[in-house]
mmCIF file of all heavy atoms in Angstrom:
data_model
loop_
_atom_site.group_PDB
_atom_site.id
_atom_site.type_symbol
_atom_site.label_atom_id
_atom_site.label_comp_id
_atom_site.label_asym_id
_atom_site.label_seq_id
_atom_site.Cartn_x
_atom_site.Cartn_y
_atom_site.Cartn_z
ATOM 1 N N GLU A 1 -38.793 127.155 28.419
ATOM 2 C CA GLU A 1 -38.324 127.858 27.225
ATOM 3 C C GLU A 1 -39.293 128.912 26.704
ATOM 4 O O GLU A 1 -38.860 129.932 26.179
ATOM 5 C CB GLU A 1 -37.996 126.861 26.111
ATOM 6 C CG GLU A 1 -36.778 126.026 26.439
ATOM 7 C CD GLU A 1 -36.423 125.018 25.355
ATOM 8 O OE1 GLU A 1 -36.899 125.155 24.207
ATOM 9 O OE2 GLU A 1 -35.672 124.082 25.669
ATOM 10 N N VAL A 2 -40.603 128.636 26.805
ATOM 11 C CA VAL A 2 -41.568 129.573 26.202
ATOM 12 C C VAL A 2 -42.694 129.987 27.147
ATOM 13 O O VAL A 2 -43.584 130.741 26.756
ATOM 14 C CB VAL A 2 -42.153 129.022 24.881
ATOM 15 C CG1 VAL A 2 -41.069 128.904 23.821
ATOM 16 C CG2 VAL A 2 -42.863 127.700 25.090
ATOM 17 N N GLY A 3 -42.687 129.499 28.388
ATOM 18 C CA GLY A 3 -43.658 129.936 29.378
ATOM 19 C C GLY A 3 -45.072 129.405 29.200
ATOM 20 O O GLY A 3 -46.004 129.926 29.806
ATOM 21 N N ILE A 4 -45.245 128.374 28.390
ATOM 22 C CA ILE A 4 -46.574 127.808 28.146
ATOM 23 C C ILE A 4 -46.710 126.497 28.930
ATOM 24 O O ILE A 4 -45.820 125.646 28.883
ATOM 25 C CB ILE A 4 -46.790 127.519 26.641
ATOM 26 C CG1 ILE A 4 -46.706 128.806 25.826
ATOM 27 C CG2 ILE A 4 -48.095 126.786 26.382
ATOM 28 C CD1 ILE A 4 -47.889 129.727 25.960
ATOM 29 N N ASP A 5 -47.823 126.348 29.627
ATOM 30 C CA ASP A 5 -48.104 125.116 30.368
ATOM 31 C C ASP A 5 -48.965 124.213 29.488
ATOM 32 O O ASP A 5 -50.112 124.533 29.192
ATOM 33 C CB ASP A 5 -48.835 125.436 31.674
ATOM 34 C CG ASP A 5 -49.106 124.204 32.522
ATOM 35 O OD1 ASP A 5 -48.744 123.070 32.107
ATOM 36 O OD2 ASP A 5 -49.690 124.366 33.602
ATOM 37 N N VAL A 6 -48.388 123.093 29.060
ATOM 38 C CA VAL A 6 -49.107 122.157 28.185
ATOM 39 C C VAL A 6 -49.620 120.935 28.942
ATOM 40 O O VAL A 6 -50.100 119.988 28.329
ATOM 41 C CB VAL A 6 -48.232 121.709 26.989
ATOM 42 C CG1 VAL A 6 -47.877 122.889 26.102
ATOM 43 C CG2 VAL A 6 -46.989 120.974 27.461
ATOM 44 N N SER A 7 -49.537 120.970 30.276
ATOM 45 C CA SER A 7 -49.896 119.779 31.054
ATOM 46 C C SER A 7 -51.341 119.343 30.860
ATOM 47 O O SER A 7 -51.649 118.159 31.000
ATOM 48 C CB SER A 7 -49.583 119.982 32.538
ATOM 49 O OG SER A 7 -50.266 121.102 33.041
ATOM 50 N N ASN A 8 -52.229 120.268 30.510
ATOM 51 C CA ASN A 8 -53.629 119.896 30.278
ATOM 52 C C ASN A 8 -54.042 120.034 28.811
ATOM 53 O O ASN A 8 -55.234 120.025 28.500
ATOM 54 C CB ASN A 8 -54.551 120.758 31.152
ATOM 55 C CG ASN A 8 -54.354 120.450 32.622
ATOM 56 O OD1 ASN A 8 -54.313 119.287 33.014
ATOM 57 N ND2 ASN A 8 -54.189 121.486 33.426
ATOM 58 N N ALA A 9 -53.062 120.157 27.933
ATOM 59 C CA ALA A 9 -53.353 120.321 26.504
ATOM 60 C C ALA A 9 -53.758 118.990 25.880
ATOM 61 O O ALA A 9 -53.407 117.921 26.372
ATOM 62 C CB ALA A 9 -52.124 120.872 25.779
ATOM 63 N N LYS A 10 -54.476 119.091 24.775
ATOM 64 C CA LYS A 10 -54.824 117.909 23.996
ATOM 65 C C LYS A 10 -53.565 117.405 23.294
ATOM 66 O O LYS A 10 -52.734 118.196 22.854
ATOM 67 C CB LYS A 10 -55.895 118.296 22.964
ATOM 68 C CG LYS A 10 -56.558 117.128 22.267
ATOM 69 C CD LYS A 10 -57.714 117.603 21.417
ATOM 70 C CE LYS A 10 -57.170 117.984 20.056
ATOM 71 N NZ LYS A 10 -58.184 118.362 19.098
ATOM 72 N N GLY A 11 -53.428 116.093 23.197
ATOM 73 C CA GLY A 11 -52.286 115.526 22.479
ATOM 74 C C GLY A 11 -51.413 114.679 23.373
ATOM 75 O O GLY A 11 -51.816 114.261 24.449
ATOM 76 N N GLY A 12 -50.207 114.427 22.920
ATOM 77 C CA GLY A 12 -49.264 113.599 23.655
ATOM 78 C C GLY A 12 -48.175 113.086 22.728
ATOM 79 O O GLY A 12 -47.907 113.666 21.674
ATOM 80 N N HIS A 13 -47.568 111.972 23.110
ATOM 81 C CA HIS A 13 -46.458 111.387 22.361
ATOM 82 C C HIS A 13 -46.949 110.928 20.987
ATOM 83 O O HIS A 13 -47.967 110.261 20.874
ATOM 84 C CB HIS A 13 -45.877 110.202 23.143
ATOM 85 C CG HIS A 13 -44.739 109.544 22.449
ATOM 86 N ND1 HIS A 13 -44.903 108.438 21.649
ATOM 87 C CD2 HIS A 13 -43.428 109.865 22.400
ATOM 88 C CE1 HIS A 13 -43.734 108.087 21.153
ATOM 89 N NE2 HIS A 13 -42.816 108.928 21.593
ATOM 90 N N ILE A 14 -46.205 111.305 19.933
ATOM 91 C CA ILE A 14 -46.621 110.885 18.590
ATOM 92 C C ILE A 14 -45.545 110.143 17.808
ATOM 93 O O ILE A 14 -45.844 109.509 16.799
ATOM 94 C CB ILE A 14 -47.123 112.070 17.736
ATOM 95 C CG1 ILE A 14 -46.053 113.132 17.560
ATOM 96 C CG2 ILE A 14 -48.390 112.649 18.308
ATOM 97 C CD1 ILE A 14 -46.391 114.159 16.481
ATOM 98 N N TYR A 15 -44.288 110.195 18.265
ATOM 99 C CA TYR A 15 -43.233 109.667 17.406
ATOM 100 C C TYR A 15 -41.949 109.599 18.220
ATOM 101 O O TYR A 15 -41.697 110.458 19.066
ATOM 102 C CB TYR A 15 -43.088 110.625 16.214
ATOM 103 C CG TYR A 15 -41.979 110.362 15.240
ATOM 104 C CD1 TYR A 15 -41.988 109.229 14.430
ATOM 105 C CD2 TYR A 15 -40.936 111.264 15.087
ATOM 106 C CE1 TYR A 15 -40.984 109.007 13.503
ATOM 107 C CE2 TYR A 15 -39.932 111.061 14.156
ATOM 108 C CZ TYR A 15 -39.961 109.930 13.361
ATOM 109 O OH TYR A 15 -38.974 109.711 12.450
ATOM 110 N N THR A 16 -41.124 108.583 17.962
ATOM 111 C CA THR A 16 -39.788 108.487 18.549
ATOM 112 C C THR A 16 -38.803 108.169 17.440
ATOM 113 O O THR A 16 -39.094 107.351 16.576
ATOM 114 C CB THR A 16 -39.716 107.380 19.618
ATOM 115 O OG1 THR A 16 -40.605 107.708 20.694
ATOM 116 C CG2 THR A 16 -38.309 107.229 20.187
ATOM 117 N N TYR A 17 -37.676 108.830 17.461
ATOM 118 C CA TYR A 17 -36.610 108.439 16.535
ATOM 119 C C TYR A 17 -35.301 108.285 17.301
ATOM 120 O O TYR A 17 -35.162 108.739 18.431
ATOM 121 C CB TYR A 17 -36.485 109.406 15.349
ATOM 122 C CG TYR A 17 -36.010 110.807 15.652
ATOM 123 C CD1 TYR A 17 -34.660 111.132 15.632
ATOM 124 C CD2 TYR A 17 -36.916 111.825 15.914
ATOM 125 C CE1 TYR A 17 -34.230 112.418 15.874
ATOM 126 C CE2 TYR A 17 -36.491 113.121 16.146
ATOM 127 C CZ TYR A 17 -35.148 113.404 16.128
ATOM 128 O OH TYR A 17 -34.724 114.688 16.375
ATOM 129 N N LYS A 18 -34.378 107.571 16.660
ATOM 130 C CA LYS A 18 -33.091 107.251 17.273
ATOM 131 C C LYS A 18 -31.978 107.778 16.380
ATOM 132 O O LYS A 18 -32.060 107.691 15.160
ATOM 133 C CB LYS A 18 -32.983 105.727 17.410
ATOM 134 C CG LYS A 18 -31.681 105.227 17.988
ATOM 135 C CD LYS A 18 -31.733 103.773 18.417
ATOM 136 C CE LYS A 18 -31.678 102.783 17.321
ATOM 137 N NZ LYS A 18 -31.493 101.397 17.812
ATOM 138 N N ASN A 19 -30.951 108.344 16.999
ATOM 139 C CA ASN A 19 -29.775 108.829 16.282
ATOM 140 C C ASN A 19 -28.531 108.174 16.884
ATOM 141 O O ASN A 19 -28.361 108.182 18.099
ATOM 142 C CB ASN A 19 -29.668 110.346 16.398
ATOM 143 C CG ASN A 19 -28.499 110.882 15.605
ATOM 144 O OD1 ASN A 19 -28.530 110.910 14.394
ATOM 145 N ND2 ASN A 19 -27.452 111.296 16.305
ATOM 146 N N GLU A 20 -27.704 107.612 16.031
ATOM 147 C CA GLU A 20 -26.438 107.046 16.485
ATOM 148 C C GLU A 20 -25.297 107.800 15.814
ATOM 149 O O GLU A 20 -25.249 107.880 14.593
ATOM 150 C CB GLU A 20 -26.366 105.555 16.142
ATOM 151 C CG GLU A 20 -27.397 104.729 16.902
ATOM 152 C CD GLU A 20 -27.249 103.235 16.689
ATOM 153 O OE1 GLU A 20 -26.264 102.671 17.201
ATOM 154 O OE2 GLU A 20 -28.113 102.662 16.016
ATOM 155 N N SER A 21 -24.409 108.356 16.635
ATOM 156 C CA SER A 21 -23.237 109.089 16.145
ATOM 157 C C SER A 21 -22.001 108.597 16.889
ATOM 158 O O SER A 21 -21.496 109.272 17.786
ATOM 159 C CB SER A 21 -23.402 110.592 16.369
ATOM 160 O OG SER A 21 -24.385 111.122 15.551
ATOM 161 N N PRO A 22 -21.515 107.394 16.527
ATOM 162 C CA PRO A 22 -20.361 106.840 17.255
ATOM 163 C C PRO A 22 -19.129 107.744 17.202
ATOM 164 O O PRO A 22 -18.397 107.836 18.182
ATOM 165 C CB PRO A 22 -20.086 105.508 16.573
ATOM 166 C CG PRO A 22 -21.135 105.308 15.549
ATOM 167 C CD PRO A 22 -21.984 106.529 15.471
ATOM 168 N N GLU A 23 -18.926 108.448 16.067
ATOM 169 C CA GLU A 23 -17.750 109.308 15.959
ATOM 170 C C GLU A 23 -17.832 110.494 16.918
ATOM 171 O O GLU A 23 -16.826 110.980 17.407
ATOM 172 C CB GLU A 23 -17.538 109.784 14.511
ATOM 173 C CG GLU A 23 -18.624 110.688 13.945
ATOM 174 C CD GLU A 23 -19.927 109.984 13.552
ATOM 175 O OE1 GLU A 23 -19.981 108.743 13.480
ATOM 176 O OE2 GLU A 23 -20.915 110.701 13.337
ATOM 177 N N GLU A 24 -19.055 110.957 17.222
ATOM 178 C CA GLU A 24 -19.240 112.052 18.173
ATOM 179 C C GLU A 24 -19.487 111.543 19.589
ATOM 180 O O GLU A 24 -19.590 112.334 20.526
ATOM 181 C CB GLU A 24 -20.421 112.933 17.740
ATOM 182 C CG GLU A 24 -20.192 113.644 16.434
ATOM 183 C CD GLU A 24 -21.432 114.382 15.945
ATOM 184 O OE1 GLU A 24 -22.462 114.383 16.646
ATOM 185 O OE2 GLU A 24 -21.352 114.962 14.860
ATOM 186 N N LYS A 25 -19.639 110.231 19.743
ATOM 187 C CA LYS A 25 -19.963 109.595 21.031
ATOM 188 C C LYS A 25 -21.228 110.200 21.621
ATOM 189 O O LYS A 25 -21.314 110.466 22.817
ATOM 190 C CB LYS A 25 -18.792 109.696 22.003
ATOM 191 C CG LYS A 25 -17.552 108.971 21.521
ATOM 192 C CD LYS A 25 -16.450 109.011 22.548
ATOM 193 C CE LYS A 25 -15.239 108.268 22.014
ATOM 194 N NZ LYS A 25 -14.148 108.278 22.958
ATOM 195 N N ASN A 26 -22.207 110.441 20.729
ATOM 196 C CA ASN A 26 -23.472 111.055 21.130
ATOM 197 C C ASN A 26 -24.618 110.303 20.458
ATOM 198 O O ASN A 26 -24.982 110.597 19.321
ATOM 199 C CB ASN A 26 -23.494 112.532 20.742
ATOM 200 C CG ASN A 26 -24.791 113.207 21.123
ATOM 201 O OD1 ASN A 26 -25.576 112.696 21.920
ATOM 202 N ND2 ASN A 26 -25.040 114.360 20.549
ATOM 203 N N ASN A 27 -25.163 109.324 21.154
ATOM 204 C CA ASN A 27 -26.300 108.551 20.668
ATOM 205 C C ASN A 27 -27.522 108.949 21.482
ATOM 206 O O ASN A 27 -27.425 109.103 22.693
ATOM 207 C CB ASN A 27 -26.057 107.051 20.844
ATOM 208 C CG ASN A 27 -24.761 106.594 20.219
ATOM 209 O OD1 ASN A 27 -24.405 107.009 19.127
ATOM 210 N ND2 ASN A 27 -24.032 105.747 20.929
ATOM 211 N N TYR A 28 -28.659 109.078 20.815
ATOM 212 C CA TYR A 28 -29.831 109.501 21.568
ATOM 213 C C TYR A 28 -31.130 109.055 20.916
ATOM 214 O O TYR A 28 -31.189 108.797 19.718
ATOM 215 C CB TYR A 28 -29.854 111.017 21.752
ATOM 216 C CG TYR A 28 -29.737 111.825 20.481
ATOM 217 C CD1 TYR A 28 -30.882 112.162 19.740
ATOM 218 C CD2 TYR A 28 -28.511 112.262 20.027
ATOM 219 C CE1 TYR A 28 -30.779 112.905 18.574
ATOM 220 C CE2 TYR A 28 -28.405 113.014 18.860
ATOM 221 C CZ TYR A 28 -29.538 113.326 18.139
ATOM 222 O OH TYR A 28 -29.440 114.065 16.983
ATOM 223 N N PHE A 29 -32.147 108.969 21.766
ATOM 224 C CA PHE A 29 -33.528 108.814 21.343
ATOM 225 C C PHE A 29 -34.196 110.174 21.503
ATOM 226 O O PHE A 29 -33.848 110.935 22.407
ATOM 227 C CB PHE A 29 -34.290 107.827 22.243
ATOM 228 C CG PHE A 29 -33.871 106.401 22.073
ATOM 229 C CD1 PHE A 29 -32.982 105.817 22.971
ATOM 230 C CD2 PHE A 29 -34.381 105.628 21.036
ATOM 231 C CE1 PHE A 29 -32.608 104.496 22.832
ATOM 232 C CE2 PHE A 29 -34.010 104.303 20.894
ATOM 233 C CZ PHE A 29 -33.124 103.735 21.792
ATOM 234 N N VAL A 30 -35.163 110.460 20.636
ATOM 235 C CA VAL A 30 -35.952 111.679 20.776
ATOM 236 C C VAL A 30 -37.422 111.286 20.798
ATOM 237 O O VAL A 30 -37.922 110.677 19.846
ATOM 238 C CB VAL A 30 -35.701 112.671 19.620
ATOM 239 C CG1 VAL A 30 -36.570 113.917 19.800
ATOM 240 C CG2 VAL A 30 -34.236 113.057 19.544
ATOM 241 N N ASP A 31 -38.099 111.594 21.895
ATOM 242 C CA ASP A 31 -39.549 111.434 21.983
ATOM 243 C C ASP A 31 -40.174 112.754 21.551
ATOM 244 O O ASP A 31 -39.875 113.806 22.121
ATOM 245 C CB ASP A 31 -39.991 111.108 23.418
ATOM 246 C CG ASP A 31 -39.736 109.658 23.801
ATOM 247 O OD1 ASP A 31 -39.392 108.847 22.922
ATOM 248 O OD2 ASP A 31 -39.894 109.337 24.996
ATOM 249 N N VAL A 32 -41.015 112.682 20.525
ATOM 250 C CA VAL A 32 -41.661 113.868 19.985
ATOM 251 C C VAL A 32 -43.114 113.888 20.445
ATOM 252 O O VAL A 32 -43.832 112.888 20.313
ATOM 253 C CB VAL A 32 -41.592 113.888 18.437
ATOM 254 C CG1 VAL A 32 -42.250 115.157 17.891
ATOM 255 C CG2 VAL A 32 -40.145 113.774 17.962
ATOM 256 N N TYR A 33 -43.520 115.018 20.987
ATOM 257 C CA TYR A 33 -44.884 115.217 21.478
ATOM 258 C C TYR A 33 -45.562 116.295 20.653
ATOM 259 O O TYR A 33 -44.916 117.211 20.164
ATOM 260 C CB TYR A 33 -44.871 115.656 22.950
ATOM 261 C CG TYR A 33 -44.496 114.554 23.889
ATOM 262 C CD1 TYR A 33 -43.167 114.191 24.091
ATOM 263 C CD2 TYR A 33 -45.483 113.858 24.584
ATOM 264 C CE1 TYR A 33 -42.825 113.168 24.958
ATOM 265 C CE2 TYR A 33 -45.150 112.831 25.453
ATOM 266 C CZ TYR A 33 -43.822 112.493 25.628
ATOM 267 O OH TYR A 33 -43.498 111.468 26.481
ATOM 268 N N ASN A 34 -46.880 116.182 20.533
ATOM 269 C CA ASN A 34 -47.688 117.213 19.900
ATOM 270 C C ASN A 34 -48.752 117.647 20.903
ATOM 271 O O ASN A 34 -49.474 116.806 21.435
ATOM 272 C CB ASN A 34 -48.348 116.668 18.627
ATOM 273 C CG ASN A 34 -49.259 117.666 17.938
ATOM 274 O OD1 ASN A 34 -50.340 117.316 17.494
ATOM 275 N ND2 ASN A 34 -48.842 118.908 17.816
ATOM 276 N N PHE A 35 -48.800 118.934 21.177
ATOM 277 C CA PHE A 35 -49.799 119.490 22.085
ATOM 278 C C PHE A 35 -50.590 120.560 21.336
ATOM 279 O O PHE A 35 -50.003 121.426 20.686
ATOM 280 C CB PHE A 35 -49.148 120.118 23.318
ATOM 281 C CG PHE A 35 -48.386 119.142 24.158
ATOM 282 C CD1 PHE A 35 -47.003 119.131 24.161
ATOM 283 C CD2 PHE A 35 -49.055 118.230 24.964
ATOM 284 C CE1 PHE A 35 -46.290 118.236 24.946
ATOM 285 C CE2 PHE A 35 -48.361 117.327 25.744
ATOM 286 C CZ PHE A 35 -46.974 117.328 25.736
ATOM 287 N N VAL A 36 -51.912 120.498 21.438
ATOM 288 C CA VAL A 36 -52.781 121.471 20.795
ATOM 289 C C VAL A 36 -53.517 122.226 21.891
ATOM 290 O O VAL A 36 -54.168 121.616 22.751
ATOM 291 C CB VAL A 36 -53.790 120.781 19.851
ATOM 292 C CG1 VAL A 36 -54.698 121.811 19.186
ATOM 293 C CG2 VAL A 36 -53.061 119.940 18.809
ATOM 294 N N LEU A 37 -53.392 123.554 21.864
ATOM 295 C CA LEU A 37 -54.065 124.368 22.869
ATOM 296 C C LEU A 37 -54.263 125.786 22.357
ATOM 297 O O LEU A 37 -53.666 126.197 21.363
ATOM 298 C CB LEU A 37 -53.303 124.366 24.190
ATOM 299 C CG LEU A 37 -51.954 125.073 24.265
ATOM 300 C CD1 LEU A 37 -51.673 125.442 25.712
ATOM 301 C CD2 LEU A 37 -50.840 124.195 23.736
ATOM 302 N N ASP A 38 -55.106 126.506 23.052
ATOM 303 C CA ASP A 38 -55.418 127.887 22.705
ATOM 304 C C ASP A 38 -54.370 128.794 23.348
ATOM 305 O O ASP A 38 -54.309 128.901 24.572
ATOM 306 C CB ASP A 38 -56.826 128.233 23.202
ATOM 307 C CG ASP A 38 -57.311 129.589 22.729
ATOM 308 O OD1 ASP A 38 -56.694 130.158 21.808
ATOM 309 O OD2 ASP A 38 -58.321 130.073 23.284
ATOM 310 N N PHE A 39 -53.517 129.410 22.529
ATOM 311 C CA PHE A 39 -52.545 130.382 23.033
ATOM 312 C C PHE A 39 -52.319 131.426 21.952
ATOM 313 O O PHE A 39 -52.643 131.228 20.786
ATOM 314 C CB PHE A 39 -51.228 129.703 23.434
ATOM 315 C CG PHE A 39 -50.431 129.176 22.269
ATOM 316 C CD1 PHE A 39 -49.459 129.955 21.671
ATOM 317 C CD2 PHE A 39 -50.651 127.891 21.775
ATOM 318 C CE1 PHE A 39 -48.729 129.475 20.593
ATOM 319 C CE2 PHE A 39 -49.928 127.404 20.705
ATOM 320 C CZ PHE A 39 -48.961 128.195 20.117
ATOM 321 N N LYS A 40 -51.754 132.539 22.363
ATOM 322 C CA LYS A 40 -51.416 133.608 21.414
ATOM 323 C C LYS A 40 -50.020 134.145 21.745
ATOM 324 O O LYS A 40 -49.443 133.799 22.771
ATOM 325 C CB LYS A 40 -52.472 134.705 21.429
ATOM 326 C CG LYS A 40 -52.870 135.220 22.785
ATOM 327 C CD LYS A 40 -54.151 136.047 22.690
ATOM 328 C CE LYS A 40 -54.731 136.402 24.026
ATOM 329 N NZ LYS A 40 -55.035 135.343 24.932
ATOM 330 N N ALA A 41 -49.516 134.990 20.875
ATOM 331 C CA ALA A 41 -48.153 135.493 21.024
ATOM 332 C C ALA A 41 -47.925 136.161 22.378
ATOM 333 O O ALA A 41 -46.860 136.027 22.971
ATOM 334 C CB ALA A 41 -47.823 136.459 19.884
ATOM 335 N N SER A 42 -48.933 136.856 22.896
ATOM 336 C CA SER A 42 -48.766 137.551 24.181
ATOM 337 C C SER A 42 -48.606 136.587 25.354
ATOM 338 O O SER A 42 -48.164 136.990 26.428
ATOM 339 C CB SER A 42 -49.946 138.495 24.424
ATOM 340 O OG SER A 42 -51.161 137.775 24.466
ATOM 341 N N ASP A 43 -48.931 135.301 25.161
ATOM 342 C CA ASP A 43 -48.756 134.288 26.210
ATOM 343 C C ASP A 43 -47.322 133.770 26.286
ATOM 344 O O ASP A 43 -46.949 133.134 27.266
ATOM 345 C CB ASP A 43 -49.683 133.090 25.960
ATOM 346 C CG ASP A 43 -51.152 133.464 26.000
ATOM 347 O OD1 ASP A 43 -51.526 134.360 26.783
ATOM 348 O OD2 ASP A 43 -51.932 132.846 25.236
ATOM 349 N N ILE A 44 -46.532 134.024 25.264
ATOM 350 C CA ILE A 44 -45.180 133.472 25.173
ATOM 351 C C ILE A 44 -44.216 134.316 26.003
ATOM 352 O O ILE A 44 -44.141 135.533 25.853
ATOM 353 C CB ILE A 44 -44.685 133.428 23.710
ATOM 354 C CG1 ILE A 44 -45.710 132.780 22.785
ATOM 355 C CG2 ILE A 44 -43.324 132.750 23.615
ATOM 356 C CD1 ILE A 44 -46.106 131.393 23.119
ATOM 357 N N LYS A 45 -43.466 133.640 26.869
ATOM 358 C CA LYS A 45 -42.429 134.281 27.687
ATOM 359 C C LYS A 45 -41.151 133.472 27.474
ATOM 360 O O LYS A 45 -40.943 132.441 28.115
ATOM 361 C CB LYS A 45 -42.802 134.265 29.181
ATOM 362 C CG LYS A 45 -44.186 134.832 29.486
ATOM 363 C CD LYS A 45 -44.214 136.338 29.387
ATOM 364 C CE LYS A 45 -45.542 136.925 29.785
ATOM 365 N NZ LYS A 45 -46.475 137.158 28.710
#
């Protein structure tokens, strides 16, 4: 999505939440990650 490689960045998984929407038949878990690294706008693709 943004052209940034976070594979060696500081950070990792910080939070998970669950959403249940039986009427939409769309239930999901979301794993949220936080990555901290040195980048600037010109690095974004």
Side-chain angles (χ1 to χ4, degrees):
E1 291 180 17
V2 295
I4 298 287
D5 182 359
V6 297
S7 58
N8 293 313
K10 192 172 87 175
H13 180 265
I14 60 167
Y15 175 67
T16 297
Y17 67 90
K18 178 166 76 170
N19 183 72
E20 294 186 71
S21 291
E23 65 285 348
E24 295 173 3
K25 297 184 180 180
N26 179 16
N27 306 318
Y28 54 88
F29 289 99
V30 179
D31 283 350
V32 181
Y33 288 80
N34 177 223
F35 298 106
V36 180
L37 69 157
D38 188 14
F39 70 93
K40 49 194 170 304
S42 60
D43 298 326
I44 310 302
K45 307 285 184 266

